[in-house]
Amino acid sequence: MSLLVLGIGHKTASVEIRERATLVPENIRAFLEMAKSSRLASEVVVLSTCNRTEFYFYQLSISVEAFCEIWAKYSELDAKTAKSHLYQIEGDDAAAYIFRVAAGLESLILGEPQIMGQLKDALTLASRYGMAKKYLQRALQMSFNVAKEIRTETNIGAFAVSVAFSAVQLARNIFDGLEHHHVLLVGAGETIELVARHLIEAGVRKITIANRRVERAELMIEELGVEAKAHGLDRLPELLPAADIVVASTAAQEALITKEMTKAALKARKNRPILLIDLAVPRDISPEIDKFSNTYLYTVDDLNEIVESNQRAREEAAILAEQYIEKGLVRWCEWYKIAEIGHSVQSIVTYANRERDEAIHRLFNQLDNEFDAELIEKMAIQLTNRLLHPMIEHLKSLEVAEDESTITELLTQFKI
């Protein structure tokens, strides 16, 4: 097999299966070392994330069944389960698939950009072990170019498709730049942590976190690696006036931010506007505050509507993105044909040597007198090499110039 993708992902397996299929970093390194020493394949790149574990091969030397046995040794997955959830993509289809992965078209969240960074890390690691060479280097680099083109020319990444990211996008739409605005996060769970990361990426510098357990808020601040302040929920009345943006997501059974609390905060703020985003169910923020003229209140339902609308927009962009995948595949196919020039050169040498040997044999049969057979063979070999050398060098220059038509015409003359 030439280019080959073997993997287990979110389209073929549950999260439990995907967790077992994952290769931890030290096992990826061990696998690459084994692949190199055992000549498992000419080249291999391993991509292992929460939603997919994939192996990109060039010239895998064993059967897929045998490979699943090896996979089981480096993960918590048995070979039978691996085989039953495996997808196998070969040749040009494999190249197109890698392009789609890099562009986020195969991701659980359509168009997400993190996958390209993960692919780059996977390629760097494989290169370090000498397992990403001519073919996978080219395939992955072309996938990065295609992905960049798709992000530039389509809206695949322009629309938020997670509630946390939508909340931050909403804040950016309402306020002109977030770096000078103060954010109050209520809660310290997974959703709030994700919101915090998006806010930091958007340039927010002033963050305060209020949580039932202050130590959990402090731990989150440490994990985020930012300067922020942690407080208990009892401090909300005095924290609210300083906040330009409030995002709340707790497991509280009644509203934490009340109408009266907000009214007092607006008075202290001299009616400067405040954005409140309630991601909790039941709600953390009283719906009554939406009546105030200088408050902008959005609930999780409002954001879900935005997410659904944006998801449809991304799906439309994905249709357009397929055109760039097809163009990238054409470039790959053209390059691949030229890259195979090495095999063609070997075929020419084999052809020339065969013709030479047959000519020498005929000559020996026609000669009656004594002659120096070794000298004749030596001269014939030297003559063949001298005749082939300029043509082979010319073929190599055509490869560099990617002149496929001339290469094809030249090889045809040798019936190759």
Side-chain angles (χ1 to χ4, degrees):
M1 300 176 187
S2 53
L3 195 62
L4 172 68
V5 174
L6 296 176
I8 290 176
H10 64 91
K11 292 183 179 180
T12 64
S14 65
V15 64
E16 291 80 12
I17 298 295
R18 299 201 304 273
E19 285 175 344
R20 289 164 56 196
T22 300
L23 272 69
V24 296
E26 55 266 32
N27 283 358
I28 294 178
R29 292 190 288 270
F31 173 85
L32 291 170
E33 187 66 49
M34 177 278 301
K36 182 178 182 180
S37 61
S38 67
R39 298 184 178 179
L40 175 71
S42 296
E43 303 180 39
V44 60
V45 170
V46 184
L47 175 67
S48 194
T49 72
C50 57
N51 285 319
R52 70 182 67 246
T53 294
E54 293 177 340
F55 300 83
Y56 305 142
F57 288 107
Y58 180 70
Q59 293 183 336
L60 176 65
S61 63
I62 62 174
S63 68
V64 172
E65 290 73 16
F67 169 70
C68 287
E69 296 285 348
I70 293 175
W71 189 346
K73 295 177 181 178
Y74 292 88
S75 68
E76 297 180 2
L77 198 65
D78 62 274
K80 183 179 179 181
T81 304
K83 185 68 171 66
S84 64
H85 292 85
L86 185 77
Y87 44 86
Q88 177 177 341
I89 311 168
E90 301 177 35
D92 295 342
D93 290 339
Y97 178 81
I98 294 172
F99 295 169
R100 299 184 87 256
V101 169
L105 300 179
E106 292 289 339
S107 295
L108 185 61
I109 298 177
L110 185 64
E112 58 93 4
Q114 288 82 7
I115 188 65
M116 189 156 73
Q118 293 165 335
L119 266 177
K120 288 182 177 180
D121 290 342
L123 178 60
T124 298
L125 183 59
S127 299
R128 194 176 302 154
Y129 282 84
M131 292 307 295
K133 295 172 281 190
K134 179 176 180 178
Y135 290 92
L136 289 183
Q137 281 282 355
R138 185 71 174 203
L140 271 296
Q141 291 298 339
M142 288 185 75
S143 78
F144 302 150
N145 293 337
V146 170
K148 184 178 180 180
E149 192 174 17
I150 288 172
R151 292 200 166 277
T152 301
E153 301 298 331
T154 75
N155 288 322
I156 192 69
F159 306 100
V161 289
S162 72
V163 169
F165 191 62
S166 294
V168 178
Q169 286 290 87
L170 184 63
R172 296 177 74 170
N173 291 338
I174 291 176
F175 293 100
D176 184 20
L178 298 182
E179 59 272 11
H180 301 300
H181 292 86
H182 191 161
V183 177
L184 171 61
L185 301 177
V186 182
E190 184 178 345
T191 299
I192 287 294
E193 182 174 350
L194 192 55
V195 169
R197 293 188 185 281
H198 288 312
L199 285 167
I200 294 166
E201 290 175 1
V204 171
R205 298 171 185 170
K206 300 177 183 178
I207 297 178
T208 299
I209 303 174
N211 192 49
R212 182 174 60 85
R213 292 173 53 229
V214 177
E215 62 271 20
R216 169 60 193 134
E218 291 173 339
L219 177 62
M220 192 176 85
I221 290 170
E222 183 179 344
E223 291 174 347
L224 291 172
V226 295
E227 290 186 11
K229 297 179 180 179
H231 302 277
L233 293 176
D234 59 321
R235 300 284 301 277
L236 279 175
E238 56 190 276
L239 296 174
L240 195 58
D244 302 304
I245 302 164
V246 179
V247 184
S249 180
T250 76
Q253 296 302 303
E254 57 185 29
L256 299 175
I257 298 178
T258 64
K259 177 182 177 181
E260 292 72 21
M261 191 186 300
T262 307
K263 184 178 181 179
L266 285 171
K267 183 178 181 181
R269 290 174 59 81
K270 297 181 180 179
N271 286 319
R272 284 185 294 114
I274 181 171
L275 169 64
L276 300 106
I277 302 174
D278 191 348
L279 303 181
V281 178
R283 287 180 282 194
D284 282 337
I285 303 174
S286 170
E288 293 183 289
I289 71 170
D290 201 27
K291 299 175 183 178
F292 296 132
S293 59
N294 290 309
T295 59
Y296 300 90
L297 175 63
Y298 292 84
T299 67
V300 68
D301 287 341
D302 297 324
L303 293 186
N304 278 332
E305 290 178 8
I306 296 172
V307 167
E308 289 173 6
S309 175
N310 288 351
Q311 178 65 23
R312 289 191 294 271
R314 282 201 178 192
E315 289 170 357
E316 292 174 2
I319 296 173
L320 178 60
E322 291 295 342
Q323 298 178 17
Y324 293 94
I325 298 293
E326 291 175 6
K327 292 177 182 177
L329 184 58
V330 169
R331 295 195 294 269
W332 162 261
C333 291
E334 290 174 349
W335 177 86
Y336 188 81
K337 288 177 182 178
I338 294 172
E340 292 293 276
I341 191 74
H343 301 300
S344 300
V345 167
Q346 185 58 49
S347 298
I348 290 174
V349 172
T350 301
Y351 170 83
N353 288 343
R354 184 178 66 249
E355 292 293 314
R356 178 200 68 209
D357 292 343
E358 289 178 0
I360 291 174
H361 181 70
R362 289 194 300 271
L363 175 63
F364 287 173
N365 288 337
Q366 294 172 9
L367 291 174
D368 297 326
N369 302 325
E370 293 184 3
F371 55 87
D372 190 338
E374 185 177 346
L375 178 60
I376 292 175
E377 288 183 0
K378 183 177 180 181
M379 291 179 63
I381 291 172
Q382 289 177 347
L383 179 60
T384 303
N385 289 342
R386 287 181 181 179
L387 290 173
L388 286 176
H389 179 72
M391 185 189 63
I392 291 173
E393 290 301 309
H394 183 50
L395 274 172
K396 290 180 179 178
S397 67
L398 292 174
E399 178 186 8
V400 173
E402 300 187 356
D403 189 346
E404 182 188 351
S405 60
T406 306
I407 291 173
T408 303
E409 182 180 348
L410 185 58
L411 296 178
T412 302
Q413 294 177 11
F414 282 85
K415 300 178 182 179
I416 294 171

